[in-house]
Structure formats: C-alpha cells, structure tokens
Amino acid sequence: MTPQTQWLHKDNDCGGTIYIGDNACYYCDKCEHTGKLKSVKMECPTHSTSDGYYISLDSSTLSIAEVISCVGQMVSEVGQKWLIKFLENLEDW
C-alpha cells in the first residue's frame, strides 16, 4: 500500500496541487489555472518511476485510458456517482 499523494501540476514546472472535478476539468491551487484534463501535464511524486515522468494528455486513446485509471483510484474517496458523472463529461473529449 502506498500513501495517498497529490498530483502535481507540471505545466511550466508550476508544482501546484491538481484537483480533478467531476466535470472532467482540473484546477491548480498554486497558479489557479483551470482547464480540461486533456490539456494538463501531471506528475505523481509517489508513483512516477523516473525523474521527469508525468502524464500529458493529448486526446489519444492511451491518454484517455491513463485518465480513467487515475480517477478510478479515487473512487473509494469520491464515490461511484462522482466517477459516473466524470466519465459522462469525457464525452466532449
């Protein structure tokens, strides 16, 4: 078991904490940038396997799978209803 950690905003090496909404958008608490998840670079300090490893979403099938994998891990905290609403909002991907 690894401890819970926060995803970090890697655009312009910001380093702020990323919050993910059920609207399939993100918010950075440091630079206060918001946008669709497909336009953000994120890094998990606990799970990244090498320096400079991050998830960058570009609307490809693999990237969508990465997003679903990441938010799927949040279900125990946010609940299934949140996940379903999030997945519905990915339609605009």
Side-chain angles (χ1 to χ4, degrees):
M1 297 294 272
T2 51
Q4 287 184 336
T5 59
Q6 298 290 325
W7 283 89
L8 302 177
H9 190 204
K10 293 307 288 182
D11 289 323
N12 300 318
D13 289 319
C14 171
T17 300
I18 292 284
Y19 293 87
I20 299 173
D22 62 7
N23 59 355
C25 292
Y26 73 93
Y27 167 76
C28 174
D29 69 349
K30 184 174 179 183
C31 68
E32 298 185 349
H33 193 265
T34 61
K36 295 234 178 228
L37 277 176
K38 67 181 179 181
S39 65
V40 69
K41 291 195 309 190
M42 303 182 293
E43 177 183 56
C44 176
T46 301
H47 298 94
S48 295
T49 56
S50 63
D51 289 340
Y53 175 80
Y54 57 84
I55 294 175
S56 180
L57 311 174
D58 62 6
S59 303
S60 72
T61 303
L62 178 60
S63 294
I64 291 171
E66 287 180 313
V67 171
I68 292 171
S69 174
C70 291
V71 298
Q73 297 173 36
M74 298 167 48
V75 172
S76 62
E77 292 293 320
V78 297
Q80 289 180 345
K81 288 182 182 181
W82 181 95
L83 178 62
I84 290 168
K85 189 168 183 181
F86 175 89
L87 293 172
E88 289 171 347
N89 283 314
L90 281 179
E91 284 184 47
D92 298 334
W93 197 264

